[in-house]
């Protein structure tokens, strides 16, 4: 149902996005390659004898200045433009339409999935602290526990989370205070 529609729509969006990025990268790479080619041609032309350099420049100037070669170049450009432009525009429009349709389907499916799931339960501070202490496998100082608990997603409403956590740790039998810091009691059957 909704998960399949979301996955399909997201894969279409991802495919188009990757394809677009790839096209831009290859386009930039082609321009850089053309730039390198032109610089090599110019360097090679500088090494030619002056007479051949003048002949090449004269040929280019003749092709640009004379009406017949210029008309042939313009005709070739127009032919390429007429044949390639509609196909390119059509492909771009189809891609944009597919992207927009996939985005709409993905958003609708995500909303349906989100509405079907129960709201996430807010984890208690002590549950966060127990997970942090277990992961550390050693006693932790109060400040370290607060830092890790906040890093793991707990949002404290207190201006002094250390004092609040200290009161909570002292009131919960899962935790024990040692000289090195706070740890989970190994004999607590409840665990974290």
């Amino acid at each position: 149902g909704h998960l399949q529609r979301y996955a399909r729509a997201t894969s279409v969006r991802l495919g188009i996005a990757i394809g677009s990025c790839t096209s831009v990268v290859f386009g930039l790479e082609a321009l850089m390659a053309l730039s390198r080619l032109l610089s090599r041609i110019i360097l090679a032309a500088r090494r030619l004898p002056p007479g051949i350099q003048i002949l090449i420049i004269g040929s280019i100037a003749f092709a640009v200045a004379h009406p017949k070669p210029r008309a042939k170049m313009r005709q070739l450009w127009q032919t390429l433009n007429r044949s390639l432009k509609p196909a390119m525009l059509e492909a771009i429009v189809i891609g944009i339409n597919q992207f927009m349709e996939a985005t709409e389907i993905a958003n609708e499916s995500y909303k349906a999935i989100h509405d079907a799931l129960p709201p996430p339960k807010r984890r208690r501070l002590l549950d966060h602290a127990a997970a942090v202490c277990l992961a550390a496998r050693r006693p932790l100082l109060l400040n370290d526990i607060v830092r890790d608990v906040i890093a793991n997603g707990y949002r404290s409403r207190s201006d002094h989370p250390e004092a609040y956590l200290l009161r909570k740790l002292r009131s919960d039998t899962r935790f024990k205070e040692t000289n090195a810091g706070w740890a989970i009691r190994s004999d607590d059957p409840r665990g974290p």
Side-chain angles (χ1 to χ4, degrees):
H2 294 297
L3 286 173
Q4 288 176 328
R5 290 184 66 207
Y6 179 76
R8 282 189 200 115
T10 303
S11 66
V12 168
R13 290 178 63 208
L14 186 61
I16 291 172
I18 290 173
S20 299
C21 290
T22 303
S23 297
V24 168
V25 168
F26 280 129
L28 291 175
E29 189 61 37
L31 286 175
M32 290 181 357
L34 179 64
S35 169
R36 287 191 297 268
L37 176 67
L38 288 175
S39 66
R40 287 182 185 156
I41 289 172
I42 290 170
L43 284 174
R46 284 185 179 166
R47 288 189 219 125
L48 293 173
I52 294 179
Q53 288 179 7
I54 292 172
L55 183 64
I56 291 172
I57 292 172
S59 300
I60 293 171
F62 175 78
V64 171
H66 198 271
K68 273 189 177 182
R70 193 173 58 223
K72 288 281 186 191
M73 287 189 292
R74 185 180 296 128
Q75 182 183 10
L76 176 64
W77 174 252
Q78 289 172 346
T79 303
L80 285 172
N81 204 15
R82 271 193 307 262
S83 62
L84 294 179
K85 197 173 186 179
M88 288 295 290
L89 286 175
E90 184 179 347
I92 290 170
V93 168
I94 288 171
I96 290 172
N97 285 338
Q98 287 179 348
F99 185 81
M100 297 299 287
E101 184 180 319
T103 299
E104 186 176 330
I105 291 170
N107 289 342
E108 289 171 2
S109 300
Y110 178 81
K111 185 178 180 334
I113 293 166
H114 189 268
D115 291 346
L117 294 174
K121 291 182 180 177
R122 190 168 188 262
R123 252 175 110 186
R124 296 180 321 132
L125 174 60
L126 288 175
D127 293 335
H128 277 284
V132 166
C133 288
L134 281 173
R137 296 183 182 177
R138 62 179 173 76
L140 293 173
L141 296 175
L142 186 66
N143 290 337
D144 294 335
I145 297 172
V146 170
R147 182 197 63 225
D148 291 348
V149 159
I150 291 172
N152 286 338
Y154 179 77
R155 290 201 176 100
S156 175
R157 292 183 218 149
S158 171
D159 292 336
H160 305 287
E162 293 85 2
Y164 178 67
L165 178 60
L166 183 60
R167 281 194 316 270
K168 289 293 192 179
L169 289 174
R170 286 182 175 157
S171 69
D172 193 302
T173 58
R174 288 182 289 178
F175 296 93
K176 65 179 177 181
E177 187 174 10
T178 68
N179 290 337
W182 288 90
I184 295 286
R185 290 182 189 278
S186 58
D187 58 345
D188 186 18
R190 292 183 301 159

